[in-house]
Amino acid sequence: MAKKRRPQPQSAAPQIKDGEVPVVGAREPCPCGSGRRYKACHGRRAAHAVTELVQRPFEGLPGECDWVAMRELVPAATAELTLKGGLPEGVPSVTLATVLPMAWPALRRDNGAVLLGLQNDTASGDISRDLADTLQRALATEPGNPVAAARPSAEGPRLQDLLDLNAPFEPTVHTGFEFWVENAENATGEVAASLERANAAAIPTARIPGLEGAYWCEAPEKNHLRWVTAHPEEQLLDALARLHAAGASSLGEGTRLVGSFRAHGLVVPVWDLPSAMGADEVTKPAVEFAERLTEALAAKTPLTADERRARGGLTNRQITLS
């Protein structure tokens, strides 16, 4: 009976620094020379790095609050992306989209333009790295083809490495998904039917001008304002509690601050609005509330008993989406 091959002693293994170990197949011998398979050696560390959850994946990007809103709140929206060093030859534009047909991670149009989908399941714990990997593959995809999902390398770039961090980020909210196809007004057959089905499921949504991350949406029984904020959570909850206890947390008659939720490391306060209150009607009171919030955030005095009770109520109603 043949003897089992023993792993090469660690002392005999070549000295390779972790950063120099290349990625190979999971069942192949690890290039570090340990004699173990890659998945049981350096591959284990790489897999852990890829799956480790990044709490604020969009931190450092211009418009972080709007990135979170497009990921979690907005049905149909797009935003033009600016790459560091400019666009590659043959790529006229790169556009972020809330969602793409068939839940494709990305799409390379016939004219070479790239659409990058944001509302997709991700292969790792870092949405930014997943999207960067998809973007890189989309830029190299033949025009006229979608881009399949894939697992990124733990050492791969993130969006913060690929995008121009000085370029503005300005989402455009759409009433439907006509941006999926060129010349959507001339769509027929299955394409037209798919657009009709997608549009019917989209909740009417509008961006509040002047407030990054604030979005109005229409619901069957009551409308809502949801505002993704970048303020530190504890400081924000204190400020909301101060305003709530003072009767200054509403957005007008028939409105109510009902709580908040966390999404990708940010806190999102939510207001119930009357069905008759549209995006235009809520804009002015929302901007005025933002001014009151700025003052409350600057307060340094300890919370009063009423304010502590208000804070406890807000905290008890808080949930986490991601």
Side-chain angles (χ1 to χ4, degrees):
M1 183 175 179
K3 292 183 179 180
K4 292 184 179 179
R5 182 180 177 184
R6 294 182 180 275
Q8 184 178 358
Q10 188 67 31
S11 57
Q15 298 300 310
I16 300 177
K17 296 180 180 179
D18 287 351
E20 299 173 351
V21 177
V23 177
V24 299
R27 294 181 176 273
E28 294 181 42
C30 187
C32 76
S34 66
R36 291 178 291 174
R37 290 178 178 177
Y38 179 71
K39 70 175 184 178
C41 191
H42 280 80
R44 178 182 298 173
R45 190 176 308 165
H48 175 74
V50 170
T51 57
E52 188 174 1
L53 180 64
V54 175
Q55 297 291 341
R56 287 181 64 176
F58 307 117
E59 186 176 14
L61 292 175
E64 179 188 6
C65 297
D66 283 316
W67 278 86
V68 172
M70 286 183 64
R71 167 77 181 183
E72 299 295 341
L73 307 179
V74 185
T78 56
E80 296 302 310
L81 298 180
T82 305
L83 306 186
K84 287 181 179 178
L87 295 167
E89 184 177 356
V91 181
S93 63
V94 174
T95 303
L96 182 72
T98 48
V99 68
L100 295 177
M102 308 298 293
W104 288 328
L107 171 66
R108 185 90 185 270
R109 290 195 187 279
D110 290 336
N111 68 354
V114 168
L115 287 178
L116 179 66
L118 182 56
Q119 294 179 11
N120 288 306
D121 292 335
T122 54
S124 79
D126 185 355
I127 298 172
S128 179
R129 198 181 306 279
D130 282 305
L131 290 169
D133 176 75
T134 300
L135 175 56
Q136 286 189 312
R137 291 186 292 113
L139 294 171
T141 295
E142 286 295 319
N145 290 286
V147 178
R151 191 177 188 86
S153 165
E155 287 76 33
R158 308 178 73 238
L159 286 173
Q160 289 83 346
D161 303 314
L162 302 183
L163 301 183
D164 183 349
L165 302 184
N166 295 315
F169 184 79
E170 293 291 336
T172 298
V173 177
H174 304 279
T175 57
F177 296 92
E178 282 74 18
F179 62 85
W180 280 354
V181 295
E182 298 175 276
N183 303 316
E185 64 276 7
N186 299 322
T188 59
E190 181 57 32
V191 173
S194 296
L195 281 174
E196 185 176 353
R197 288 193 296 269
N199 289 345
I203 297 174
T205 302
R207 189 179 184 217
I208 303 301
L211 291 181
E212 180 185 328
Y215 290 80
W216 167 94
C217 71
E218 181 181 348
E221 296 183 358
K222 62 186 70 174
N223 298 338
H224 302 284
L225 178 72
R226 298 175 290 188
W227 184 13
V228 184
T229 66
H231 301 297
E233 181 174 350
E234 297 303 315
Q235 184 182 359
L236 175 62
L237 290 174
D238 281 354
L240 291 174
R242 294 179 193 276
L243 294 174
H244 197 66
S249 64
S250 77
L251 303 176
E253 185 178 356
T255 71
R256 185 168 69 98
L257 174 64
V258 294
S260 64
F261 61 89
R262 300 185 193 91
H264 306 290
L266 301 184
V267 180
V268 188
V270 180
W271 286 262
D272 281 349
L273 311 174
S275 296
M277 181 176 263
D280 291 339
E281 290 78 19
V282 80
T283 295
K284 184 173 184 292
V287 171
E288 291 173 348
F289 173 83
E291 295 172 353
R292 297 197 299 274
L293 180 63
T294 298
E295 295 178 3
L297 287 166
K300 302 299 182 183
T301 57
L303 296 182
T304 66
D306 287 344
E307 290 168 348
R308 288 197 299 272
R309 282 192 290 271
R311 193 186 195 282
L314 291 170
T315 303
N316 290 337
R317 296 193 296 272
Q318 195 174 51
I319 61 173
T320 301
L321 293 187
S322 57

